[in-house]
Amino acid sequence: RFFVLRMVTLPKYDYVFFPINVANSHWILAVVEPKLNRIRYLDSLGGRNPQCTDLLERFLQDEARARGFETMTGGWSKEQVGPRSAHKIPAQGDGCSCGLFALAYADCLSSGKKIGDIRKGFQQRDMANVRAYVLETLLGCRMK
């Protein structure tokens, strides 16, 4: 319901972030760029999941068609991004920080960094600081 309400302005955004839990054991970040009709699948372990990006594309096309956003009803470019891909995002080195990596990717992109610059933003050794930052941010929020 939240997404349906916000869909009215989706084409105006540079990024829309979808944290996705894969197989109830791993978090990735899907990044939708409505102005470019592009979907990126960011996985800190380097996994690939074309089915996920295909389903997200279909969802976006259906929602766009229902709301008259013709520029979003065609094909979307899709990219699988990981530590060994062309963009070389930071790699997860443990079995429990995937959610933090997904949040850190979103934080970097929403702060104006390009996807190729994320690798310079943080590494596995920074996860204690990322955890503290997330905690501080959540405790400072006022929920409605």
Side-chain angles (χ1 to χ4, degrees):
R1 186 169 162 188
F2 173 82
F3 191 78
V4 171
L5 294 173
R6 299 299 187 270
M7 187 68 181
V8 243
T9 58
L10 184 67
K12 296 179 182 178
Y13 292 105
D14 293 325
Y15 299 109
V16 179
F17 302 113
F18 290 85
I20 298 172
N21 185 275
V22 178
N24 207 26
S25 64
H26 180 57
W27 287 96
I28 63 92
L29 182 69
V31 180
V32 171
E33 297 172 82
K35 293 177 182 177
L36 302 174
N37 279 29
R38 180 167 51 200
I39 302 167
R40 288 179 163 159
Y41 181 93
L42 281 65
D43 187 334
S44 58
L45 293 176
R48 301 177 58 76
N49 191 340
Q51 180 184 9
C52 179
T53 54
D54 289 347
L55 287 171
L56 192 50
E57 175 186 40
R58 187 167 139 208
F59 168 74
L60 291 165
Q61 289 170 332
D62 290 347
E63 289 295 316
R65 211 171 279 111
R67 285 160 183 67
F69 300 137
E70 291 306 314
T71 60
M72 294 174 52
T73 58
W76 289 65
S77 65
K78 292 170 262 185
E79 183 180 4
Q80 306 285 318
V81 181
R84 291 171 294 286
S85 69
H87 293 297
K88 293 185 178 20
I89 57 175
Q92 177 185 341
D94 64 12
C96 61
S97 296
C98 53
L100 291 172
F101 273 83
L103 290 173
Y105 297 151
D107 187 56
C108 286
L109 291 170
S110 65
S111 299
K113 288 187 177 180
K114 300 294 181 198
I115 199 139
D117 295 330
I118 291 178
R119 70 175 173 262
K120 302 170 192 166
F122 63 93
Q123 298 299 323
Q124 176 67 49
R125 66 180 175 268
D126 301 317
M127 286 302 108
N129 291 335
V130 172
R131 285 180 200 281
Y133 173 71
V134 170
L135 178 62
E136 182 181 317
T137 301
L138 289 173
L139 291 176
C141 283
R142 291 195 168 191
M143 302 298 283
K144 292 182 180 182

